[in-house]
Amino acid sequence: MNPLRHSLRVFAAETLKQHRRLFGQPLVVFSMLVWPVLQLATTYYTLRPVATASRAAENWPLAADPDRLLAFLATGTLAYAFFFSLVQSAWHLSFERTTGTLELLFLSPAGRLTLMIANGAGALLQNAWLLTCFTVAALTGFGTLSVSAWWMYGIVLLALLIPAVAWGAFLNSLLVFSRDSAFLYTILDEPLWFVSGVRLPHFALPAAVQVVGAVFPLTGSLLAVRGALLEHRTASELAPTLLGLGALSALLLVAAALILRVGEARARRTGALSLV
Amino acid sequence: MTMTTAIEVRGLRKDFPVREKGILGPRTLKRAVDGLDLDIPRGRVTGLLGLNGAGKTTTIKILATLLRPSAGTVRIDGLDAVADARAVRRRINLIAGGERMVYTRMTGRENLWYFGQLYDVPKADLRRRTGELLDLVGLSGAADTMVERYSRGMTQRLAIARGLVNRPDYLLLDEPTLGLDAPIARDLRRVVADLAAHDGTGVLLTSHYLAEVEELCGHVYVISAGRHLAQGSPAELKAATGSHRTVRLTVTDPTERTRAAADAFGATRETLPDGGELITLRHPGDMAGPLTAAVFEAGGSIGGLEIAEASLEDAILTLAERGEAGLAGPGSGRPDATTIRPGAATAPPEAATAPPEAATVPPGAGTAPSEAAAAGVKGGTP
Ligand SMILES: Nc1ncnc2c1ncn2[C@@H]1O[C@H](COP(=O)(O)OP(=O)(O)OP(=O)(O)O)[C@@H](O)[C@H]1O
Ligand SMILES: [Mg+2]
């Protein structure tokens, strides 16, 4: 009984499960690559005429250059794809209540938080790699990248992966014990896109929206990713953002662990695997 | 408490909080299990019977750590089901029938691998075990087919293999053959009997197919409304309730004399369309011989004879009816729980059918045959 080995085995198991779910249908390439790229194109051609107008450039200099605007939106799409793939996998996990397999997960001796993290990470790794490669290749090709050091790519990856995994574990824990997963799905699609500054720079959003956006790790991830890739920021310049992201990730994981504790205790009392 | 190799349930109670009329309604408690004592030793199939809503599934889920008892203790080989839940989960498994309990987007083999990983089954063991289990449930040929293309019976068989992937010391079966074809159900019964007899697995089985319970179980607990009603081997339970054999005798040329002979036994008579008569006699003893002889001596010609054995089903129904009547009455406390014999937990399967030392409760009112009293099952509320 080696807890670390057991956790790794749960990771492997969940990764296979997610692989079968994601690659079970032939349209997967569509949802993984074509769909985000289409969305990116739509946004770009909608925004370009407005953003490149002379008055707009005064407030948002980056937008004056169409290539940099495209890079800005592409990083937004990439980061959004990371986080949204976790909303999707949490949604699927909540369906395991109906198929009876959720109870089997809780019947097993596998660690609950491990399961929730592994489930999200398994989906994330397989969902986002294609788009990541594509985005990096495209940005390099356009020559719009402005990176202070090669290892900033590593920081970018971590700034995306760690908060996303924590976010996934949090969502999974919440949805596993909630009957209203449809509701959560609705509030986390378009609104997430909006408040996190996927299509517009964070500073352009109303103050209230900025506050709401700060709750979502996607916001911080975007700031870090764009800072590192497009604005030539160094690690020390990004340190406050990165620290904030780290704190938020830790908070999400603690919240996930708490929800799991309370949720499972409640489920064992009432017989319903549900918080509501 | 001493360490034993059995599941020991003492004074188990489960109250579900329920809200009447929506989430804002007043909260009340629904008592699903009320003071149960059970012993589920290794190497035996123990039955848990009762009508719908008796509390069987609730009990099984408590043993599986999926529910927390409101009161009482559950010890599994000395481990507490609440305090040591995680250790307990490694030693048990649960198979429930009638539901899709595997992943349809994975193959059969992948499903077993997946759950083996969750149970941290050692790698080499897992590969071997996966093969063995697929063989055992007859899915070797479909091992690498996606479960979504399995038939219902195949899916159910895979769910059974899933329940064995961690080599559980104790297997909890909640209506495992629900919705299965007769041949598949028969195969499952063979697997379960083998597990208990050869691997020494302790099995707890609930089923609505009482023939299945009769075939497999060395010891049966009967519960009603969450309370203990009776226990014993299937034979003891039948004897205790004075379950009747049914004799059906067809007389082709009924006369006054044959009718009188039949009436002397207290049998019922029914005229058949062809002018013959069907004599039906329900009796705890074996009355086929005497009845036939009497009718024959009265000059009747016998057109047919049919004997239906007493079934456990009759016994359970009788017990449940009695239980409900008894439980409704005042002062009908929990029946005496001292029927658990010392050492029963470790006794070999045959020992389960041995009569308990003494009968405390006379079986069925009036109709009880004397041999039932000798068999001495302690029934529920008199
Ligand atoms: N989660 C729950 N919340 C409230 N009441 C419950 C819950 N689960 C079960 N009950 C109640 O507890 C009682 C026992 O239910 P249980 O499912 O254990 O019965 P059972 O013996 O398995 O019945 P069946 O033969 O129909 O499967 C029933 O009255 C049921 O309505
Ligand atoms: Mg049930």
Side-chain angles (χ1 to χ4, degrees), chain A residues 8 44 127 143 150 164 169 180 227:
Chain A
L8 289 176
Y44 175 64
N127 225 327
W150 62 267
D180 292 327

Side-chain angles (χ1 to χ4, degrees), chain B residues 112-133:
Chain B
L112 295 186
W113 179 83
Y114 174 87
F115 285 105
Q117 294 280 102
L118 256 49
Y119 279 87
D120 200 16
V121 177
K123 266 203 174 84
D125 273 10
L126 182 56
R127 186 166 316 123
R128 186 162 32 82
R129 186 127 188 86
T130 303
E132 283 171 9
L133 286 174

Side-chain angles (χ1 to χ4, degrees), chain A residues 31-44 69-85 128 131-132 134-135 160 193 197-199 218 222 225-226:
Chain A
S31 61
M32 275 174 58
L33 188 61
V34 179
W35 176 241
V37 168
L38 267 176
Q39 272 194 316
L40 173 61
T42 316
T43 318
Y44 175 64
L69 176 65
L70 182 59
F72 174 88
L73 295 175
T75 46
T77 308
L78 171 68
Y80 179 78
F82 267 63
F83 283 82
F84 194 67
S85 74
L131 191 59
T132 305
F134 178 82
T135 312
L160 276 174
W193 183 282
V198 170
R199 289 184 250 209
L218 174 57
L222 270 173
V225 169
R226 285 172 175 159

